[in-house]
Amino acid sequence: MLNFSVSEYQERIKRTKQKMAEQGIDVLLVTDPANMNYLSGYDGWSFYVHQLLILIIDEEQPLWVGRGQDANAAKVTTWLNAENIFPYADDYVQSTVKHPMDFVSDILKEIGQANRTIGVEMDTYYFTAKCLESLRKGLPNARFKDVTSLVNWVRIVKSEHEIEYMKKAARIVENAMKVGIESIQEGIRECDVVAKIYHAQISGTESFGGDYPAIVPLLPSGEKTSTPHLTWTDQPYKKGDPVILELAGCYKRYHSPLARTVVIGEPEQKVKDLANVVAEGIQAAIDVVKPGITCEEIEAAWRRSIEKSGFKKDSRIGYSMGLNYPPDWGEHTASLRQGDQTVVQPNMTFHMIPGIWLDNYGVEISESVRVTENGCETFANFPRDLFIK
């Protein structure tokens, strides 16, 4: 069931160890499920309990640690040897008297790693304060260091195989967006539109199926388009409603997000004007993307474009993305915003989403892009219009 060759996983391990060495890390505890997947192939909906990889700088393979009933998932989906899979008993799960990180501490003591410098992903969704408390108690002679996003930065430049998966995700989102736009009508319930979108996301294409995206469909309507991160209700659409659709196709955990805006009936002129500003701005940003430019220079092109029409936007206009699990498809590394001097390289991939949200309405138009040797390309091929129903 491996999605990549063993040699590709081994190359990822090698590059991760190089980063570990640069930061003086002997043992890396990887709790972010996307990073676990990236290094081992592990794929399961088991991240609601504690699980991790232990990557030791002078050992060839990482160790997988997780709930006992998920151990076979590790055997099925990873490239690891069976002896590198360490399941913990079920009485660790949500226990008030012991913690899965106690089990991890015991493993590290048993294999002679208790006195080393241990890197932990302190600022992830999946590593809690209790995790660190348990590790410090169980490994009093270890030195702990925050290495949040260490593996994420290794992931930021994609392989050609990863790019192919993202291109397939783009075919899925093209269809899902088409279904969503076609389904939005006056009198149709928001939830019924989203049900059709979900079907399109999961069924994929005739050639390949889809996966569950890390973020649910975001479909604010009416005045709710003044903010980006609302989902849907069971209320019917009304004539005159603007509707934002922010979706993603997902293939083997790799994402291609896309956002567009629809209006039911003839839109107000101010909405048309805002859509033009957003469309021109995103094109201005896309036009400057190339290897060697910085993230803040890309954002500056957008800012110069919208300032001509009197608009300002304080938030970032995009971020690196690709492989991930709920609740986010972003990689938590480079952002397209002022002050981010990350130098863009070929096969970096970004979701460029420079929406503008005003007091009572907003417009989103986004593209997922791949940096090429000479510029960039969009993953999806979908009209960048304000859609009128």
Side-chain angles (χ1 to χ4, degrees), residues 141 263 286:
N141 296 319
V263 180
I286 288 173

Side-chain angles (χ1 to χ4, degrees), residues 14 23 30 53 77 83 91 113 155 169 180 189 215 228 247 296 299 320 327 339 355 369 373:
K14 177 181 176 182
Q23 299 187 34
V30 180
L53 293 181
T77 63
E83 58 267 27
D91 59 355
Q113 304 294 324
R155 288 165 43 198
R189 296 187 305 172
I215 301 177
L247 318 172
E296 67 175 359
E299 188 276 341
S320 179
V369 302
E373 294 293 336

